[in-house]
């Protein structure tokens, strides 16, 4: 099983700042099948990034993903109030086919 | 626009069977190239993939739950279902249904339904 470790657990920033979230895999993720999601209370997760660096449909370009192998990053530039949420990374490939990180809570400083 | 809606299971007694249905609208569940998953999130914990079903009817389950899980599809009603047997308090969670749209990404999700297991 590929374990995804996200850091930091909580990130406190102010609107207008840049957020950098990390996701590290216990093994290399084949094909870079790594996605990022935003989760707000009471809502379903929202797909932001797929295959490490591709923005999903309708996602603004302030969200960007990078990385390969075992180290991946989600960057959110110019934070706005609606960006404060919990962010999860997720991999596809090894059994179990899909695993998620434990999440990074992005909170307003 | 594709929409997924989980049924409401609410309270399930310990050792009983949890049953949920995900109704899909705005697209056919039988369309090739996609799979349909159940995912859950226990209170204060992360997301856990339970299993999925393909348009062919093939199913795959998380090994940690495999002995208790069955996912099935009802093509006539464009929905798919989850059964989880012998539930315990550890199965208390928000259960989501989702579509895997290729590249291992879940591009459409239901809003989730809270299932509480109690004695």
């Amino acid at each position: 099983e590929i374990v995804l470790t996200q850091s930091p657990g909580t990130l406190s920033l102010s609107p207008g700042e840049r957020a950098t979230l990390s996701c590290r895999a216990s093994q290399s993720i084949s094909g870079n099948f790594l996605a990022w999601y935003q989760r707000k209370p009471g809502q379903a997760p929202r797909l932001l990034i797929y295959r490490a660096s591709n923005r999903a449909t309708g996602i603004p370009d302030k969200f960007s993903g990078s990385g390969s192998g075992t180290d991946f990053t989600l960057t959110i530039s110019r934070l706005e109030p609606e960006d404060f949420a919990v962010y999860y990374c997720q991999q596809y490939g090894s059994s179990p086919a899909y695993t998620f990180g434990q999440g990074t809570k992005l909170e307003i400083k | 626009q594709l929409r997924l809606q989980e049924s409401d299971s609410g309270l399930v007694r310990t050792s009983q069977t949890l049953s949920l249905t995900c109704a899909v609208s705005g697209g056919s569940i039988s369309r090739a190239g996609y799979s349909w998953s159940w995912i859950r999130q226990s209170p204060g914990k992360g997301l856990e993939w339970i299993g999925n079903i393909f348009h062919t009817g093939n199913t795959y389950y998380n090994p940690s739950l495999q002995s208790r899980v069955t996912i099935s599809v009802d093509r006539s009603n464009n929905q798919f279902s989850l059964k989880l047997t012998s539930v315990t308090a550890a199965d208390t969670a928000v259960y989501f249904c989702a579509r895997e749209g290729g590249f291992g990404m879940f591009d459409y999700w239901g809003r989730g339904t809270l299932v509480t297991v109690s004695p």
Side-chain angles (χ1 to χ4, degrees):
Chain A
E1 174 178 341
I2 292 182
V3 176
L4 300 178
T5 301
Q6 292 185 241
S7 61
T10 301
L11 184 58
S12 299
L13 293 171
S14 300
E17 292 191 292
R18 178 188 188 96
T20 302
L21 287 67
S22 174
C23 177
R24 177 162 290 178
S26 59
Q27 306 169 39
S28 182
I29 297 176
S30 176
N32 289 331
F33 290 122
L34 190 287
W36 289 93
Y37 301 86
Q38 178 192 67
R39 174 96 191 273
K40 295 180 180 179
Q43 297 185 19
R46 175 193 182 196
L47 175 68
L48 301 173
I49 300 289
Y50 67 94
R51 210 166 184 186
S53 60
N54 298 273
R55 269 187 300 277
T57 302
I59 301 302
D61 61 7
K62 66 177 179 180
F63 292 94
S64 63
S66 63
S68 64
T70 60
D71 289 293
F72 300 87
T73 300
L74 173 70
T75 302
I76 313 169
S77 62
R78 308 179 311 275
L79 284 168
E80 298 178 83
E82 62 265 27
D83 299 328
F84 292 91
V86 180
Y87 292 83
Y88 295 94
C89 58
Q90 170 250 317
Q91 69 85 29
Y92 163 70
S94 71
S95 180
Y98 309 89
T99 56
F100 294 83
Q102 83 280 16
T104 290
K105 181 180 181 180
L106 178 58
E107 65 177 24
I108 299 178
K109 187 174 182 179
Chain B
Q1 177 79 350
L2 195 72
R3 294 187 188 276
L4 288 75
Q5 177 67 56
E6 301 90 350
S7 60
D8 184 10
S9 181
L11 195 65
V12 182
R13 298 298 181 189
T14 301
S15 80
Q16 299 300 304
T17 296
L18 179 162
S19 297
L20 293 172
T21 296
C22 180
V24 179
S25 59
S28 173
I29 201 170
S30 298
R31 184 175 174 184
Y34 300 108
S35 68
W36 305 88
S37 281
W38 287 97
I39 296 163
R40 70 181 182 179
Q41 185 164 30
S42 302
K45 295 189 178 180
L47 293 155
E48 179 181 33
W49 177 74
I50 299 169
N52 64 356
I53 188 164
F54 285 76
H55 71 283
T56 56
N58 289 344
T59 54
Y60 298 87
Y61 302 129
N62 190 321
S64 68
L65 297 167
Q66 185 163 5
S67 63
R68 300 193 291 129
V69 173
T70 302
I71 295 175
S72 59
V73 65
D74 177 355
R75 301 183 195 287
S76 61
N77 288 305
N78 213 40
Q79 61 188 27
F80 63 107
S81 298
L82 167 71
K83 289 191 185 300
L84 182 65
T85 62
S86 304
V87 297
T88 69
D91 295 309
T92 293
V94 176
Y95 285 75
F96 297 95
C97 56
R99 185 185 84 166
E100 202 256 68
F103 301 118
M105 64 180 180
F106 297 106
D107 54 356
Y108 289 94
W109 296 67
R111 293 179 63 88
T113 185
L114 175 62
V115 177
T116 302
V117 178
S118 68

